[in-house]
Amino acid sequence: MLRNGAFSSTESINNTIHHELITQPIMETNTESKEPIVFPTRTSASKQPRNSIFPSELQEDPTKNSTLNVTNDSSSNVNSTTVSTENIAEEKEEIDIIDHSALLSEIANEFINSIPLMRQVKDSIEYTDCFTGADAVSTIASLIGTKNRKLAIAIGRSLESQSLFHDVLYMNDLIDSQENIYQLQARPNISYNRESKLDISAIIGDYIEDDSMYIASPKQISSNNNDNILMNNTQNDLPNGVFVAIASCYSLTCTDDTPCYSYTCPRRKAYILKSSLKDSKPQHTQSSEDDNNWSTTVDKNVLEKVDDHERKRQEVIYEFIQSEKEYVDDLLSVIKLIKRPLTEGAVPKLDARFVNIVFSNIEEIFSANAPFSSRLQSMQQHNSIIEVLGEVTLEYVKNFTCYIRYGEIQPLAKEFLQFQRNASSGLEAFLKEMQSKKEFRRLPLESFLARPTTRLGRYPILIKDILKHTKEDHPDQKLLTYTMEIIQNILKQVNEKAGKTTNKIKLDQWARSLDQSTLEKVEDILVLKPNSPQRDFIREGTLLLKREGTTPQEVDVVFLDNAFVITRKKVNTIEMIRKPIPVQLIQLADNEEQDKINNKNLKFNEKRYSFSITHMGVRTYTFMTKVYSEKKSWVETISERLKQVQTSCIELFSIFSCRLKINSAVVVKDDVMIFANENGLYTNIGNTLTMILPLQRITNIDIMPDAGLLFVLIDKEVIPYSIDALLKGDLVGNFKKPRKLCSGISFMEIGFCDGHHLLCAVKTANTNSTVRSYEPNQPLIDAISSKTINTKVSTIDVLIPHKQFYIPAEAKSIQFLKRDLCVGCNKGFEVVNINTLTTQSLFNTHDPAYEWIIKAEYTPVKLIKTNRGDFLVCYNKVGFFLDKNGNPSRGNNRISWLNPATNFAYISPYILAIGNEYIEIWDENNVDSVKQIIYGYNIRLFTSYTGDAVYIVSGNDIHVISRIILSRKRTQ
C-alpha cells in the first residue's frame, strides 16, 4: 500500500480517478505545482521497431492496432494527446507484477547507460548520438522487464516530460516509431559526453575568427556558478517521482482479485479501471482535416480548370511557399526577440561573445531567405496557379552557402547554450519567458536554432514531391532538379562539417578527462592520438565486464576509429583500466547462441546479452548488457569498422618451408639461401633442404658476397667460410675447425660505408663497447679471381683490419650510413665518422623535447634512411623522424608501435615493425594508424646483402620462409 499523496487530495481522486490513473502516473517529490503530465499518442498506422536489433519478445505485434491516438493542436504546433487507459490496463493484466523500482530517477539512470546511441538521418540531416522512438520503448521495456510496449511508452513520456531527452526537432513527444529521432538532454550529473561541461576556449578558436575574445568566457561563467550552484543542481537532477503504474503495493492482504482499500494502490486502480471500461469500447478522436491548403484559397472556377495531377502539384507548391514564410517568421522572431535583446544586455554578464557563438550567422541566413520568401509570396498573390517555380528557387538557393557555416558551428552552439543555461539563472529565466510568447509556441530556443538545418533538409523532400506531380516536358523538371542538386551538395557539406565539430567536441571532453597521473597512462593516451584530426569518436556506453569467479564490473567503453578503450569513472577523471586495444588487433565474437542457453531459465529482467572482444596476443574480454538492441548495435558498429580497416599494403610470397628449426638465415643470390640452426648450416638449392656444414652452437651468420665469404658467429668467435665451397658441398665431411677471425665478440654486422665493404665485430661490456672493422683484401681477391697465384689461401687472409674504435656504452646494433656508422646503444644512437672516428649523439639527449626517450624501457633498434632523405629512428616501442642535423623532420610525429618490435624493415613508403607474433605495416606518409597487420608465430627478419629484398622466417613446428613484396591490391 502506497502512502497517500500521489494526488493532491481525496476529492480530486474521487472526481478524476479514471483520468489521473494514466495522465499522472508519477508521484512528484517536488512541491512546486506543475501542469498535468499528458502523454502523446500515436495512430494505428504507426510503424514497428526494426526486427534486426530486438529479440522477438520485445517486438510489436504487427497484427494489433495501437490504441494510442494523436490529436494535432495546430495552434501550438505541439502534439496534445491522451493514452487509452483500456490498453494499459488489459496488457498489464497479461503479465506478472513488474519486479523493478518505480522510481523514475533509477529508470532514467539505467536508460541513459543502456540506450544505444547511433548516427541517424532525418530529412537529409545527420544527427549524432541519437536513438529512435522504437529503440527508446524497447530499452525501457527491457529494463523494467515487460512486453507491454504501451506501458513502456507511458514511462518514456514521463521521463521526457522532465527533459531527460527530446525530439531532435523539439517538436514531437515520444512515439514508438523508427521515424522519430531523439537525443538525450545535456545534464551535468551524467557521464562526460552527456553533460554540458565544456572547455570552450580549447576549441572555440577553430570556429570563431577572433578566438582571443572567447577564451575568458568560460572563466567568467565559472565565476557566476557559485551563486547558483544549488539551484542548478536541483534543476538538472535526473527525473524524479514514482511511476505508480508499476509500483508494488506492500500490503500483505492486497491481491489482484481483492485489492486493498487505498485509492493509491496500483492493483486497486487497475481493478477499478478494468471494471469501469469492461463494457466500453475505445473511442478514437480524429484530427480534423487541415483547411489551410491551396484549394481553399482559390476560386472554384480556377479549380475546375485544372486536373487532379496539377491540383496536387499546386498543393505542394503552396505548402512550399507557406512553410517558407513560417520559417522566415521564426528566424525573425529569434533575431528580434532573443538575439538582439541579449546583445543589448537583457541578461547581465552575457554579451556579444555568447551571441556570436550561439546564434552564429543566423542573420545572414535570414537575409538570404527573407527575399526568397517575399518573392514566393508575391508570386502566390498575383497568380492563382504558379506555372514555373524553378526559376525563382534557382536564383535564390545559390545564396544558401551561408548554411554551411551555420551547420558547422551548431553542435558547439548547442553545447555552449546548455553550458550557459546551467550557469546563469538569468539566462534561463529570460529564455523561459520568451518560450511562453505566442511567437515561440511554447517551444524552447533550441528548437528554433535547429530550424535552419532542418529547413535545408526539407527542401529536397518538397521539391521531389513537386517534381512527382510535374509533367516530364515542364521547364521545372530541369530547373528544380538542378536546384535540388545544389541544395543536396550544401547539405553534404553541412553534415560533414557538423560531424567534424561534434566529433571534436566529444574527443576534447573525453581526452581532457583521462587520468594522466602516471607515465604509463600518458603513454596510453599518446598511443590513441586523441588530438589527431583523423580521430573519430565512434561510440561509447556503459557495459558489464565479465570477470571469472566474481561479479561483473561496470565499465565505460569508448570505441574510437583506431582503438577500443575500457575505462571507469573516478572523481573528476576517467581511468583507462586496460591497455587500449588497436582496431587492427581486435577479434569480435557475438555470443548469440551462448546467450540463448544462459538466458533460457532466467526472468525477463535478469537476462544478459553479451559479446567478446579478443585483444590478439593478449587476452579476451566479454561484455554484457541488459538490453539486446544495445548489444546488437555494438556488434554491428565494431564489425563495420573492422571491415573498413582490412587493407592490404604488403603481401608474403612463400619461398620455402621445412621442419628445420631455423635460428638465422642469409640470402646468397635470388632466393638461394643458407640457414643455420643448432646442428649446422643448410641450403635450399633445388628446393631441397641440404646440410652443407655440420657445426653446433651457431649464434648468427652473415655474408660478404664481394669477398665470397660467409661469416659464422659461434662461441663468441667469428669464423669465415668460402660460400662456393659450402654450396658445392666440399665442407660437409670436413670437421676441422678453421682459423678464427676474432674472438670475444657479442654480435657482428656487415654493410657498406664510405666506399668500403665492412664487417664490424662488436665486443661489449656493461659500460663500454669495442668495435673492430675489417674489409676485403681486394688485391688478394683479384689475384685469386685471375688465378695468378697457385698457393692455397686461407679465408682469414681475404680480410684485413680496417679501423677500431671505442664507445662508452653497451652497443646493441650498428647501421651503415653514407660516411658514418650509427651505433645503437643503451644511451641512444651514437654516430661515428668512419675516417676520423669522432663520435656524437644522433640527437641532443639533454634537450627537454627528448626527455621521454631517455628511459630504460626504450631500446634503440635501428636507424633507417627514407626515400625523402631524412631518417626514421626506431626504438622498440616508438619511432620518429629526424633530419641529418638531428632535428625533427616531420613535425612532432611519433609512431607508437602496437607491440614492442625486435627489428624493422623499410619498403617505401611502408615501414615494417617486426614483432614475435605479427608484423605492423605503417605508411610513412600517414602515421596516424597502422595500415595492416600480418600475423604469424616466432617471426624473424633477414634481408639480402643489398637490402633490396626483405625476407621473414616464421613458424613453430614448420618454418616458412617468405619474401615480402608490395601488394598489387594496395590502395594509395
Side-chain angles (χ1 to χ4, degrees):
M1 181 177 68
L2 295 176
R3 68 177 178 83
N4 196 11
F7 300 96
S8 58
S9 67
T10 304
E11 182 180 357
S12 67
I13 298 173
N14 295 331
N15 294 336
T16 61
I17 180 69
H18 299 145
H19 175 69
E20 299 286 355
L21 282 171
I22 305 302
T23 59
Q24 279 194 328
I26 62 173
M27 177 175 65
E28 295 290 350
T29 60
N30 204 329
T31 57
E32 296 180 14
S33 60
K34 293 189 178 182
E35 297 180 8
I37 299 172
V38 180
F39 298 108
T41 58
R42 59 190 292 223
T43 64
S44 59
S46 58
K47 298 185 179 180
Q48 303 160 37
R50 293 186 298 264
N51 293 332
S52 60
I53 66 169
F54 297 108
S56 58
E57 61 263 27
L58 292 182
Q59 294 178 11
E60 192 175 7
D61 188 349
T63 63
K64 294 182 180 179
N65 285 336
S66 171
T67 59
L68 298 178
N69 304 310
V70 179
T71 303
N72 293 324
D73 183 358
S74 58
S75 63
S76 65
N77 220 11
V78 179
N79 287 335
S80 163
T81 58
T82 58
V83 178
S84 169
T85 56
E86 180 182 19
N87 188 46
I88 293 182
E90 289 182 349
E91 291 201 31
K92 181 175 175 60
E93 190 179 47
E94 294 174 1
I95 62 174
D96 297 330
I97 295 295
I98 292 173
D99 184 19
H100 192 281
S101 170
L103 296 177
L104 288 177
S105 59
E106 293 188 12
I107 298 174
N109 190 53
E110 292 183 30
F111 179 83
I112 291 167
N113 292 326
S114 302
I115 184 68
L117 303 180
M118 294 173 285
R119 285 187 175 91
Q120 302 281 358
V121 177
K122 185 177 180 67
D123 294 344
S124 302
I125 297 295
E126 280 190 8
Y127 298 92
T128 59
D129 292 336
C130 297
F131 54 91
T132 67
D135 289 347
V137 173
S138 294
T139 299
I140 294 172
S142 177
L143 290 173
I144 67 173
T146 182
K147 299 178 184 178
N148 186 346
R149 298 184 69 83
K150 306 306 178 290
L151 178 61
I153 292 173
I155 295 173
R157 289 172 180 167
S158 290
L159 299 175
E160 183 186 25
S161 69
Q162 296 192 51
S163 301
L164 182 69
F165 57 86
H166 60 81
D167 171 65
V168 292
L169 303 181
Y170 296 85
M171 299 289 287
N172 300 313
D173 292 318
L174 179 62
I175 298 176
D176 188 1
S177 167
Q178 295 291 350
E179 304 300 322
N180 292 76
I181 302 174
Y182 303 85
Q183 288 178 320
L184 289 170
Q185 185 75 13
R187 313 177 79 86
N189 58 330
I190 301 175
S191 58
Y192 58 88
N193 70 312
R194 315 274 209 242
E195 62 185 9
S196 57
K197 181 178 170 184
L198 178 66
D199 185 0
I200 297 296
S201 63
I203 55 177
I204 198 68
D206 294 340
Y207 304 97
I208 304 297
E209 292 180 3
D210 186 11
D211 61 324
S212 60
M213 65 187 294
Y214 297 96
I215 293 177
S217 182
K219 295 181 181 179
Q220 294 175 351
I221 296 166
S222 178
S223 66
N224 300 332
N225 281 347
N226 295 333
D227 298 335
N228 306 302
I229 188 167
L230 293 177
M231 182 199 72
N232 288 332
N233 285 345
T234 302
Q235 287 180 346
N236 291 285
D237 281 342
L238 290 171
N240 57 70
V242 177
F243 196 88
V244 180
I246 66 171
S248 298
C249 180
Y250 53 79
S251 173
L252 296 177
T253 60
C254 182
T255 65
D256 289 339
D257 295 328
T258 58
C260 68
Y261 62 86
S262 174
Y263 282 111
T264 59
C265 173
R267 287 192 178 98
R268 183 173 182 80
K269 289 182 179 182
Y271 180 82
I272 296 174
L273 188 60
K274 180 187 173 186
S275 301
S276 64
L277 297 176
K278 188 172 182 180
D279 299 323
S280 64
K281 294 183 179 179
Q283 297 184 5
H284 306 284
T285 58
Q286 296 182 355
S287 58
S288 59
E289 184 152 350
D290 187 8
D291 294 329
N292 188 25
N293 52 40
W294 175 76
S295 59
T296 62
T297 62
V298 296
D299 296 335
K300 290 185 178 179
N301 60 342
V302 175
L303 290 175
E304 293 172 354
K305 294 179 182 179
V306 298
D307 57 18
D308 187 60
H309 197 69
E310 181 61 29
R311 185 185 66 79
K312 291 179 179 178
R313 178 174 180 271
Q314 293 300 319
E315 291 285 7
V316 182
I317 292 176
Y318 183 82
E319 180 188 356
F320 184 97
I321 295 173
Q322 291 304 111
S323 59
E324 183 69 17
K325 180 181 182 300
E326 293 170 2
Y327 166 59
V328 170
D329 288 345
D330 285 344
L331 292 179
L332 181 60
S333 297
V334 171
I335 294 169
K336 184 178 179 181
L337 299 178
I338 299 181
K339 179 179 183 291
R340 289 178 182 171
L342 287 175
T343 304
E344 294 166 1
V347 176
K349 300 182 181 180
L350 287 180
D351 52 24
R353 294 174 295 183
F354 167 78
V355 175
N356 289 341
I357 298 171
V358 172
F359 298 93
S360 186
N361 61 330
I362 195 171
E363 292 201 29
E364 184 182 1
I365 291 175
F366 176 78
S367 299
N369 283 82
F372 182 37
S373 176
S374 178
R375 180 80 174 274
L376 293 174
Q377 289 290 314
S378 178
M379 290 175 59
Q380 189 80 74
Q381 292 171 2
H382 292 86
N383 302 280
S384 298
I385 298 176
I386 295 180
E387 297 293 342
V388 179
L389 180 67
E391 292 179 352
V392 176
T393 58
L394 189 58
E395 177 184 349
Y396 285 94
V397 298
K398 293 178 179 179
N399 301 323
F400 283 6
T401 53
C402 53
Y403 281 85
I404 300 174
R405 169 68 174 170
Y406 188 88
E408 179 183 17
I409 203 172
Q410 192 184 22
L412 179 63
K414 182 179 177 181
E415 289 280 350
F416 194 32
L417 174 60
Q418 187 62 49
F419 179 80
Q420 291 278 20
R421 292 185 76 150
N422 293 338
S424 172
S425 58
L427 175 63
E428 181 70 16
F430 174 78
L431 295 180
K432 287 290 185 182
E433 180 185 353
M434 293 300 103
Q435 186 175 334
S436 65
K437 290 183 177 293
K438 63 179 181 178
E439 289 89 347
F440 298 104
R441 305 183 295 283
R442 295 183 294 172
L443 295 173
L445 173 61
E446 289 85 349
S447 174
F448 292 88
L449 293 179
R451 292 293 162 83
T453 51
T454 56
R455 179 60 183 174
L456 192 66
R458 286 288 298 168
Y459 286 129
I461 297 173
L462 292 170
I463 291 174
K464 285 180 181 178
D465 210 7
I466 296 172
L467 290 174
K468 185 171 68 174
H469 301 293
T470 302
K471 296 178 180 179
E472 291 294 330
D473 58 349
H474 194 285
D476 269 352
Q477 282 290 346
K478 289 186 178 180
L479 293 171
L480 288 179
T481 299
Y482 186 38
T483 299
M484 186 165 59
E485 290 175 355
I486 294 175
I487 294 175
Q488 287 175 333
N489 181 55
I490 294 174
L491 272 170
K492 181 180 178 181
Q493 296 182 65
V494 167
N495 286 330
E496 288 177 355
K497 290 184 176 294
K500 289 180 180 179
T501 303
T502 301
N503 186 67
K504 184 176 179 63
I505 292 171
K506 292 171 66 176
L507 273 171
D508 183 81
Q509 289 175 308
W510 182 71
R512 288 174 180 273
S513 301
L514 290 174
D515 184 5
Q516 302 183 38
S517 58
T518 66
L519 178 62
E520 183 180 7
K521 292 175 180 178
V522 172
E523 289 177 348
D524 289 341
I525 296 174
L526 292 174
V527 168
L528 296 174
K529 298 183 180 178
N531 296 323
S532 169
Q534 301 179 46
R535 198 78 312 107
D536 189 10
F537 195 106
I538 298 177
R539 183 182 172 86
E540 56 80 31
T542 300
L543 298 170
L544 294 174
L545 176 61
K546 188 175 181 180
R547 298 183 294 181
E548 293 297 332
T550 184
T551 57
Q553 178 186 9
E554 186 176 274
V555 295
D556 298 299
V557 293
V558 173
F559 188 40
L560 306 178
D561 65 301
N562 65 336
F564 187 90
V565 189
I566 307 171
T567 71
R568 65 180 175 189
K569 295 184 183 69
K570 297 177 67 177
V571 179
N572 299 324
T573 62
I574 298 171
E575 179 187 19
M576 282 191 275
I577 60 176
R578 298 290 187 275
K579 288 286 185 181
I581 309 174
V583 172
Q584 292 80 2
L585 299 183
I586 289 178
Q587 189 174 46
L588 176 68
D590 185 352
N591 305 327
E592 188 91 23
E593 296 303 319
Q594 187 62 42
D595 288 343
K596 291 180 181 178
I597 298 173
N598 296 340
N599 293 331
K600 187 174 182 180
N601 298 319
L602 295 178
K603 292 181 180 180
F604 188 75
N605 61 338
E606 293 177 350
K607 294 181 178 180
R608 298 290 184 269
Y609 306 95
S610 66
F611 65 94
S612 298
I613 286 181
T614 298
H615 186 173
M616 299 294 289
V618 182
R619 60 172 296 182
T620 297
Y621 304 95
T622 298
F623 300 94
M624 301 183 296
T625 175
K626 295 179 181 179
V627 183
Y628 177 83
S629 60
E630 184 183 19
K631 188 274 298 230
K632 202 68 177 176
S633 180
W634 271 108
V635 171
E636 291 174 353
T637 302
I638 297 172
S639 297
E640 181 181 356
R641 181 57 187 158
L642 294 184
K643 291 177 182 177
Q644 293 172 354
V645 299
Q646 289 178 355
T647 58
S648 180
C649 309
I650 295 293
E651 292 180 357
L652 298 182
F653 182 75
S654 181
I655 302 296
F656 186 72
S657 63
C658 62
R659 290 189 176 276
L660 181 72
K661 184 180 179 181
I662 300 173
N663 295 332
S664 182
V666 294
V667 181
V668 179
K669 58 180 179 179
D670 298 329
D671 290 333
V672 176
M673 305 174 190
I674 295 177
F675 311 107
N677 78 344
E678 64 271 14
N679 296 318
L681 299 179
Y682 298 79
T683 185
N684 65 332
I685 293 179
N687 205 30
T688 302
L689 189 65
T690 305
M691 176 178 278
I692 55 178
L693 180 65
L695 199 62
Q696 295 184 342
R697 300 186 303 278
I698 297 176
T699 304
N700 191 22
I701 61 174
D702 209 340
I703 64 170
M704 186 179 287
D706 293 346
L709 296 177
L710 172 80
F711 296 91
V712 178
L713 180 60
I714 180 172
D715 293 334
K716 293 192 174 184
E717 296 178 346
V718 178
I719 303 173
Y721 289 91
S722 167
I723 295 176
D724 288 340
L726 287 170
L727 294 181
K728 290 177 181 179
D730 296 344
L731 303 179
V732 174
N734 183 6
F735 296 95
K736 183 179 178 181
K737 187 176 180 181
R739 291 166 55 193
K740 62 185 178 183
L741 178 67
C742 52
S743 60
I745 304 303
S746 301
F747 68 92
M748 62 181 180
E749 297 286 353
I750 296 177
F752 188 83
C753 179
D754 196 28
H756 299 272
H757 292 282
L758 298 177
L759 179 146
C760 291
V762 184
K763 182 177 182 179
T764 63
N766 291 331
T767 58
N768 59 78
S769 301
T770 302
V771 181
R772 297 176 183 175
S773 61
Y774 300 85
E775 64 177 333
N777 185 345
Q778 200 59 45
L780 179 59
I781 294 175
D782 293 340
I784 295 173
S785 300
S786 61
K787 298 182 181 180
T788 57
I789 59 174
N790 298 320
T791 59
K792 189 174 181 180
V793 178
S794 171
T795 53
I796 296 298
D797 299 328
V798 177
L799 291 180
I800 56 176
H802 175 253
K803 299 280 185 177
Q804 178 173 319
F805 58 90
Y806 170 85
I807 297 289
E810 182 182 357
K812 300 193 179 285
S813 65
I814 292 181
Q815 282 80 50
F816 297 84
L817 306 179
K818 188 175 181 179
R819 292 185 178 85
D820 303 302
L821 296 178
C822 183
V823 182
C825 55
N826 54 1
K827 294 177 59 176
F829 288 96
E830 299 292 324
V831 179
V832 181
N833 185 289
I834 197 64
N835 295 311
T836 64
L837 300 183
T838 54
T839 303
Q840 63 178 5
S841 296
L842 182 64
F843 52 87
N844 184 5
T845 55
H846 299 292
D847 188 336
Y850 296 108
E851 284 182 356
W852 60 273
I853 200 66
I854 313 301
K855 306 291 180 183
E857 61 267 28
Y858 291 123
T859 303
V861 179
K862 202 166 191 177
L863 184 71
I864 299 174
K865 186 172 184 179
T866 72
N867 284 359
R868 290 167 60 170
D870 57 357
F871 297 91
L872 172 64
V873 184
C874 299
Y875 283 74
N876 63 329
K877 291 187 177 182
V878 296
F880 51 94
F881 296 93
L882 296 178
D883 61 20
K884 63 180 180 180
N885 298 317
N887 300 316
S889 59
R890 307 190 190 185
N892 293 320
N893 280 342
R894 186 190 303 181
I895 311 173
S896 297
W897 317 120
L898 306 184
N899 216 33
T902 58
N903 212 332
F904 296 88
Y906 177 68
I907 306 177
S908 180
Y910 300 111
I911 304 161
L912 284 64
I914 291 89
N916 186 54
E917 295 185 346
Y918 52 80
I919 302 174
E920 305 170 27
I921 314 297
W922 296 77
D923 186 343
E924 66 171 318
N925 299 315
N926 182 5
V927 296
D928 183 75
S929 60
V930 65
K931 298 302 178 185
Q932 182 185 354
I933 297 289
I934 300 176
Y935 293 98
Y937 181 78
N938 195 21
I939 302 173
R940 283 142 296 153
L941 170 79
F942 62 100
T943 62
S944 63
Y945 174 70
T946 59
D948 296 333
V950 179
Y951 298 80
I952 64 167
V953 55
S954 63
N956 189 8
D957 295 333
I958 298 179
H959 285 230
V960 178
I961 296 89
S962 306
R963 178 158 26 97
I964 297 178
I965 60 176
L966 290 177
S967 173
R968 289 167 290 182
K969 300 178 182 178
R970 70 185 187 277
T971 56
Q972 298 299 328

